[in-house]
Amino acid sequence: LLAKLPLFFSSSCSYAVSSTIEPFYKGGKVQISKDEKFIFCTCGTRVNVLQIVTGKIVHSIEQDDQEDITSFALSLDDEILVTASKALLLKQWDWKQAQCTRSWRAIHNVPIASMTFDPTATLLATGGCDGTIKLWDVVKQYCTHNLKGSSGVVHLVEFHPDISLLQLFSSASDCGIRMWDLRSSQCLCVLQSHYSPVTSLAFTPDGASMVSSGRDKICTVWDLKSRTARRTVPVYESVVLLPEDEDFSEIGVKTKEIHFITAGSKGVLRVWDASSARCVFELATVTAEHNILLYQLPSFTTQQQFVGFNDEVLDVKFLGKGDTHIVVATNSSQLKVFDLATSSCKILYGHTDTVLSLDVFKKGSLFVSCAKDKSVRVWRQDPDSGQVSCVAQGCSHANAVGSITCSRMKESFVVSGSQDCTIKVWDLPETIPETDGDMFQLTARVTEKAHDKDVNSVAVSPNDKLLVSGSQDRLAKLWSLGAPGADLALLGVFRGHRRGVWCVQFSPMDQVLASSSADGSVKLWSLQDFSCLKTFEGHDASVLKLIFVSRGTQLLTSGSDGLVKLWTIKTNECVKTLDAHQDKVWGLHATRKDDRVVTASADSNITVWTDVTEVEQAEEQAKQEDQILKKQELSNLLHEKKYLKALGLAISLDQPHTVLKVIKGIGEDGAKQLEKTVLKLRQDQKESMLRYCAVWNTNARSCLDAQAVIQVMLTHLSPEELLQYQGARAHLEGLIPYTGEVGFPLFDLTLRPRREAHAKDRPSAAGLHVPGLHVAEDESDRSSSQVRVTRGGP
């Protein structure tokens, strides 16, 4: 059966990384540039700069000391970025070039918790965990103020927007808001209203009022002239002021009074009227951890959403008509749909526990999911808007549903495998609802006790007539799906794996299927007699996923070792290993055209690979054509006796045999011509010649030519010059066993230069009458690795 595989598909594919979705934000401060083109956020030892339009990380500012960044600040003109690390260092960056322009000690005794620039970008305030605040003149580069009096960690510092007032506001663990006069370095007052740490401060454009929010879930409106609280609003959120120069009437803003926006743990945005303490607008916007959402004003519509951290990725599938999106199951109850062009993400809610597996129907707009909540769900993506909604669900398994697959020909049924050891077949209605408002309730047509342990994988054959299941009981089983309404019929059992079966897949072209196991092997099985046709071994740990590529002639497998391997079925050979992950690779999927592959791992990274086989073949063909042209040119140069160009071209081809031919051709015109040509070579070309000579000298047919070249080089080049050549010591020592010895030294070549090695120790070229040379180790000084070069026979 395998012998019938088409020959033109037997060549191996080659994949290269085309894009990645990796963690870029793990909590902490987030700042948007003034031009609204970039997002700055912290991720361990780095500050990542995310381009909003493309969703790509364009710069990654990283500390040299590999210490975590505790705080950062971007100046209001977007020109200066300053970072603070746990090593108590402050660094100033030209972030557009990712270059550090200045570094200085923070003077704080403990890490910096907060920092901010003043409106002129000339003053920088840093709040430390030791309760002190320091101000720095960024231009003149010195510390201007040391403000003491705060209790505990200073987690918030803000300059008054009117720089002429020279006022700084801060808040620490004592929950008070301190107003500092920078002229006298004195605390003017402590504004007391909050009972928990203050989370944010927002000033009105005229600087007369300020709104503060705290973890005590209240917002306070302050009159800064009288330094009193005008109103306290219980909002249970953090705060930012609404701009005054826009029309927000469509969201309930009817007056010119102060309005502010709050957001918090309840997952909603609210607009408040500060004078009446009334909520005038509310927008539901539930988010998960480390997500960044951008809203368009004044409509408050979601513009973009970025996921900063995916946690452990359990499955991934291409989605959309042109495979333009991917749907991702992470270690959570939410599904994430990424636009590969912009990395913008939509988060899907519906499951109530961790989603374990995904599959996509042939057309690419309908997909299914299953989870630990014992349910399966069917989702539809609108091809125009990209919006995704849940259109059907089924809930009758008795335990977590760990695997799911859908029909391959039509959108007619779904098959799920569960930890309750059963397989269920769910029929879909002929007309599937368009939105989640009309969600269809699925009923299992068939429930089959299939295995003795967890069902880890299920797959449907390309013609929708067969089903294969793989289980933790080390078995894979083949089932007949039969006509609609019929029960499952067991056709055969595949035995041979020594541990649980993680994945099973049908070949798209042949009557075979593949299975992967925790025993580290992949097996290919015949559907005719259920025998094992081939076994592929190469992973050092469990093989978690496999897919057929190259029209069924190759396999891609991923394992717990973090590797993805490409196998050619006909030869049982692993032809490529893709190494881009540091942990278990749970997700593996290819596009319908087989031109891209996506992998997802427990290291939180998602990588998209592009098939570059044709590109590499074109490059190889161009390289071969170039070699042919160079060889023809070389032949012409030899014929025209242009020896220097001929020798240089031969060395550039890096073909010692061709170089030897050129040397022999030059040698026919005498030793003088050889000497003249070799001495005109560049240093890198001479290095290559020395390397070639070490090999030629081991062969009786080429040793005389090697000795002739060595004689020229040792005669006309000083030991100091030779020592500059890459690998000179190894090459010279390689000449020792194959060169005869004559009784007197030609000159001392010390691989560790010595003062007593002089030019007078070397005879002139006229004194050399035989081509043979000997390189011998000096018995008197082995410790200095001295080499004595003497004349001798070949």
Side-chain angles (χ1 to χ4, degrees), residues 30-46:
V30 176
Q31 187 170 346
I32 299 177
S33 61
K34 185 178 181 181
D35 58 13
E36 299 181 356
K37 292 182 179 179
F38 302 98
I39 295 174
F40 293 74
C41 51
T42 55
C43 186
T45 62
R46 308 189 307 273

Side-chain angles (χ1 to χ4, degrees), residues 289-360:
E289 291 183 356
H290 308 129
N291 297 336
I292 300 173
L293 281 77
L294 301 181
Y295 291 92
Q296 185 71 45
L297 292 176
S299 61
F300 268 85
T301 55
T302 305
Q303 181 180 350
Q304 278 177 290
Q305 179 167 286
F306 301 103
V307 175
F309 183 63
N310 280 312
D311 202 0
E312 186 172 356
V313 185
L314 302 180
D315 204 359
V316 62
K317 291 289 187 294
F318 281 105
L319 182 65
K321 186 176 181 180
D323 295 319
T324 55
H325 295 69
I326 55 173
V327 55
V328 180
T330 61
N331 193 23
S332 72
S333 59
Q334 295 94 36
L335 285 170
K336 299 182 177 75
V337 176
F338 288 90
D339 185 335
L340 292 175
T342 64
S343 295
S344 181
C345 176
K346 290 181 173 63
I347 298 180
L348 311 180
Y349 299 89
H351 287 289
T352 58
D353 206 340
T354 303
V355 180
L356 298 175
S357 184
L358 303 164
D359 200 13
V360 181

Side-chain angles (χ1 to χ4, degrees), residues 219-330:
C219 285
T220 302
V221 182
W222 301 91
D223 185 330
L224 294 182
K225 292 182 179 179
S226 63
R227 301 173 188 175
T228 58
R230 287 167 48 187
R231 182 173 289 276
T232 297
V233 184
V235 297
Y236 312 103
E237 320 277 343
S238 59
V239 67
V240 64
L241 282 177
L242 197 64
E244 292 184 350
D245 54 352
E246 292 188 44
D247 180 13
F248 293 100
S249 57
E250 59 183 291
I251 58 172
V253 178
K254 306 297 184 183
T255 67
K256 294 296 183 180
E257 295 294 328
I258 297 174
H259 287 74
F260 55 89
I261 309 166
T262 62
S265 59
K266 290 193 175 183
V268 294
L269 288 178
R270 291 189 177 96
V271 179
W272 299 81
D273 184 336
S275 61
S276 64
R278 185 173 59 91
C279 176
V280 297
F281 181 77
E282 186 172 295
L283 173 68
T285 171
V286 182
T287 64
E289 291 183 356
H290 308 129
N291 297 336
I292 300 173
L293 281 77
L294 301 181
Y295 291 92
Q296 185 71 45
L297 292 176
S299 61
F300 268 85
T301 55
T302 305
Q303 181 180 350
Q304 278 177 290
Q305 179 167 286
F306 301 103
V307 175
F309 183 63
N310 280 312
D311 202 0
E312 186 172 356
V313 185
L314 302 180
D315 204 359
V316 62
K317 291 289 187 294
F318 281 105
L319 182 65
K321 186 176 181 180
D323 295 319
T324 55
H325 295 69
I326 55 173
V327 55
V328 180
T330 61

Side-chain angles (χ1 to χ4, degrees), residues 9 75 183 203 215 284 291 316 423 492 559 687 780:
F9 290 133
S75 61
R183 289 187 177 89
F203 297 88
R215 291 181 184 172
N291 297 336
V316 62
I423 295 173
E687 289 177 0
S780 64

Side-chain angles (χ1 to χ4, degrees), residues 488-532:
L488 292 176
L490 181 63
L491 300 179
V493 180
F494 303 96
R495 292 182 172 88
H497 283 297
R498 301 184 304 277
R499 297 184 67 183
V501 177
W502 274 114
C503 186
V504 287
Q505 287 291 333
F506 284 97
S507 168
M509 303 294 289
D510 296 290
Q511 298 291 312
V512 295
L513 65 83
S515 62
S516 65
S517 168
D519 61 15
S521 71
V522 176
K523 292 183 180 291
L524 202 67
W525 308 88
S526 169
L527 298 183
Q528 307 294 332
D529 57 9
F530 313 112
S531 62
C532 180

Side-chain angles (χ1 to χ4, degrees), residues 45 70 133 213 242 264 276 295 303 317 406 445 573 744:
T45 62
T70 58
I133 301 169
S213 66
L242 197 64
S276 64
Y295 291 92
Q303 181 180 350
K317 291 289 187 294
C406 52
R445 181 233 304 177
E573 181 186 5
F744 66 93

Side-chain angles (χ1 to χ4, degrees), residues 157-208:
V157 285
E158 288 288 347
F159 282 95
H160 192 283
D162 185 355
I163 192 60
S164 63
L165 296 178
L166 285 178
Q167 290 181 351
L168 178 75
F169 293 79
S170 69
S171 181
S173 301
D174 56 9
C175 309
I177 302 172
R178 282 176 167 76
M179 180 189 293
W180 301 88
D181 179 11
L182 299 183
R183 289 187 177 89
S184 62
S185 297
Q186 298 297 315
C187 178
L188 298 176
C189 67
V190 180
L191 305 178
Q192 296 285 1
S193 170
H194 294 279
Y195 301 96
S196 293
V198 178
T199 55
S200 59
L201 299 175
F203 297 88
T204 56
D206 59 6

Side-chain angles (χ1 to χ4, degrees), residues 449-510:
K449 172 69 165 60
H451 292 272
D452 295 330
K453 291 185 178 180
D454 300 358
V455 179
N456 292 331
S457 179
V458 286
V460 174
S461 64
N463 62 3
D464 282 353
K465 293 183 178 180
L466 300 175
L467 171 72
V468 63
S469 60
S471 169
Q472 204 64 29
D473 63 6
R474 300 178 293 178
L475 301 178
K477 294 184 178 182
L478 185 67
W479 308 83
S480 172
L481 284 168
D487 291 338
L488 292 176
L490 181 63
L491 300 179
V493 180
F494 303 96
R495 292 182 172 88
H497 283 297
R498 301 184 304 277
R499 297 184 67 183
V501 177
W502 274 114
C503 186
V504 287
Q505 287 291 333
F506 284 97
S507 168
M509 303 294 289
D510 296 290

